[in-house]
Amino acid sequence: LRKDPERYIPEWGRKYGDLFMVRMPMIGEAAVVTSPDLARRILVNKASCYQKKSRSYGVLRILMGEGLVTSEGDLWKTQRKLVQPAFHPRRLDALFSMKAERVNAMVDELRASAHSGHSVDLVPLLSRLTLDIISRAMFSSDSQGMARDVSHHISTLNEWALRALRHPWLLILPRKLPLPGTNEMRQSLGEMERIVTDIIRERRAHPGDHDDLLTMLLAACEEETGRGMSDTQLRDEVMTMYVAGHETTANAMAWILYLVSTHPEVEARLHEEIDANFPDGTPSLEDLASFPYVRQVIDESLRLYPTIWSLGRCCTEAHELGGYHIPVGTNFLIPTFHFHWNEDVWENARAFDPDRFSPERRPP
Ligand code: HEM
């Protein structure tokens, strides 16, 4: 299953139905759902019967602590309320010119490579771009030294997380065993925690006049109690933004560019829309509404190549699902990619067709 989910999940779905158990040596059991209806029941209708404490979130918890992606229940609710204002459109608009400026700098770099005839591997470039943008949005930091360190540590942590997700038995072996990548992971995690904690302490001591996400998070406090976040909680949220926002966005951009470059008719329509509507000067967040076809291309690329291709949940309250009794503790694998490639849901599902998301055809 881990080696070739794209083959086995649809194959077993056809053979065993919408809900079946997979038993993995040393790791245990997982229930797999292969119908979007059951996925909706787990993630939406019956969400209160589930938590994210499945195996994959255990890996993320090592990196992100109890940030928004991994926390549960009351802690998640409180944190969600505290963090939400930092992502209000007005705030994001304030960061937009910084993002546009970083993208322009990368485009200049690419243009120079194109003129000199050098080929460029876009994936590391996009990874660097997203990390740079997250650091600047979070800390107003453009310190090259720190960006280089953070980039190295986050890459090490991402590689380790991917390895641990592919080989979960690594997690049940004693932590002290010198397993490949484990020492580097521990070192990078320690370094990242130190960097983030130092920045938080420094900012608490000398708030200054920064217009960044850290300022918002430091000022956020619960309405009823006036309590803000502890340094540890803040560090977990910052680590969460780095880990959750970095490769997801970089890989999504890489797939978008790949798909556009292999579909000249889509590329031509993008040029047409962008040339007709690009404002004088730097575009703002509001201007994005003038580019509906760009949005369609992004949505369709994320459908075809979802950068988070599966979700995990663990049942915390026994109930009935798809005609089966689900006991507490059942681990679920919810394979998003399988729904995105489902011919019952999408006609000609494996074709890249941004017009599926046009106003006339966009699914409800
Ligand atoms: C194309 C890019 C992205 C994709 C495909 C993506 C995908 C996802 C998915 C599928 C979840 C739900 C996980 C679950 O419920 O188990 C999620 C949650 C989350 N993502 Fe992203 N994400 C992207 C970019 C980002 C960025 C840029 C950030 C932050 C800088 C971010 C921060 C978060 C956070 C904090 C959560 C948890 C939200 C909550 O539970 O309150 N993500 N993301």
Side-chain angles (χ1 to χ4, degrees):
L1 178 69
R2 279 195 312 276
K3 274 199 190 121
D4 200 353
E6 184 188 337
R7 173 182 161 196
Y8 287 112
I9 288 178
E11 201 173 300
W12 292 343
R14 279 190 296 277
K15 204 163 160 190
Y16 303 115
D18 289 348
L19 175 56
F20 55 87
M21 295 298 288
V22 179
R23 226 166 253 130
M24 291 167 274
M26 290 177 72
I27 295 163
E29 294 180 328
V32 182
V33 288
T34 55
S35 92
D37 279 348
L38 291 187
R40 178 188 289 274
R41 287 195 60 199
I42 295 173
L43 294 171
V44 183
N45 311 112
K46 288 272 178 194
S48 60
C49 297
Y50 289 92
Q51 286 198 332
K52 293 178 270 186
K53 290 200 187 321
S54 66
R55 226 166 278 117
S56 42
Y57 290 77
V59 172
L60 295 178
R61 206 163 276 120
I62 294 174
L63 308 186
M64 303 171 170
E66 294 291 330
L68 272 183
V69 169
T70 43
S71 57
E72 310 275 5
D74 287 345
L75 176 60
W76 176 79
K77 268 192 209 141
T78 308
Q79 283 306 113
R80 179 78 198 210
K81 260 200 216 151
L82 291 180
V83 174
Q84 191 102 338
F87 290 88
H88 188 277
R90 242 193 342 260
R91 298 292 312 157
L92 296 180
D93 198 29
L95 297 171
F96 202 77
S97 56
M98 173 276 288
K99 291 184 200 165
E101 185 241 320
R102 297 323 300 157
V103 171
N104 282 338
M106 196 190 86
V107 170
D108 288 344
E109 225 178 281
L110 287 174
R111 200 173 277 129
S113 300
H115 283 317
S116 65
H118 289 133
S119 61
V120 172
D121 183 354
L122 274 177
V123 174
L125 217 68
L126 293 171
S127 180
R128 203 179 76 208
L129 174 70
T130 49
L131 203 61
D132 184 22
I133 288 177
I134 295 179
S135 292
R136 287 167 193 259
M138 192 63 77
F139 305 126
S140 319
S141 161
D142 55 358
S143 135
Q144 275 308 304
M146 189 195 93
R148 241 195 331 268
D149 285 351
V150 167
S151 170
H152 164 75
H153 297 313
I154 293 285
S155 303
T156 306
L157 296 176
N158 273 330
E159 271 167 37
W160 176 85
L162 278 179
R163 197 172 315 123
L165 288 171
R166 274 196 216 111
H167 309 289
W169 47 267
L170 282 174
L171 295 173
I172 51 181
L173 296 173
R175 287 277 174 87
K176 292 213 166 110
L177 281 182
L179 295 166
T182 307
N183 269 345
E184 289 86 341
M185 180 282 271
R186 267 205 229 101
Q187 237 168 20
S188 281
L189 188 58
E191 276 300 301
M192 266 312 286
E193 289 179 353
R194 187 190 57 73
I195 292 172
V196 173
T197 307
D198 282 356
I199 294 174
I200 293 170
R201 291 217 177 113
E202 168 67 21
R203 190 66 73 82
R204 279 209 203 273
H206 309 284
D209 184 21
H210 300 278
D211 191 17
D212 53 25
L213 296 179
L214 185 61
T215 303
M216 290 290 295
L217 298 180
L218 280 166
C221 56
E222 287 173 58
E223 233 169 63
E224 306 79 37
T225 60
R227 214 173 25 225
M229 285 183 229
S230 66
D231 279 5
T232 309
Q233 190 62 42
L234 251 175
R235 187 198 66 199
D236 287 355
E237 297 303 353
V238 170
M239 287 295 286
T240 294
M241 300 302 163
Y242 266 121
V243 177
H246 171 219
E247 294 284 337
T248 43
T249 317
N251 290 341
M253 285 197 290
W255 281 116
I256 293 166
L257 291 173
Y258 165 76
L259 285 164
V260 170
S261 70
T262 50
H263 293 80
E265 69 294 352
V266 172
E267 187 178 351
R269 266 182 77 181
L270 281 174
H271 278 297
E272 211 176 287
E273 181 177 271
I274 293 167
D275 290 346
N277 299 300
F278 207 81
D280 296 332
T282 308
S284 67
L285 191 61
E286 221 172 59
D287 290 325
L288 294 187
S290 324
F291 304 105
Y293 190 65
V294 172
R295 177 62 197 255
Q296 286 176 219
V297 169
I298 295 171
D299 287 349
E300 174 64 348
S301 304
L302 283 170
R303 181 193 69 81
L304 205 50
Y305 295 116
T307 50
I308 301 287
W309 65 266
S310 76
L311 299 174
R313 288 294 185 268
C314 181
C315 175
T316 50
E317 197 183 314
H319 65 106
E320 178 275 333
L321 185 76
Y324 292 94
H325 172 74
I326 307 296
V328 171
T330 309
N331 268 306
F332 274 83
L333 172 74
I334 304 165
T336 323
F337 77 93
H338 177 65
F339 312 132
H340 291 197
W341 297 348
N342 189 326
E343 290 287 336
D344 296 335
V345 182
W346 305 97
E347 201 185 319
N348 204 5
R350 299 305 293 267
F352 179 59
D353 173 14
D355 278 330
R356 295 178 203 280
F357 289 96
S358 63
E360 303 78 45
R361 289 174 59 200
R362 178 175 274 277

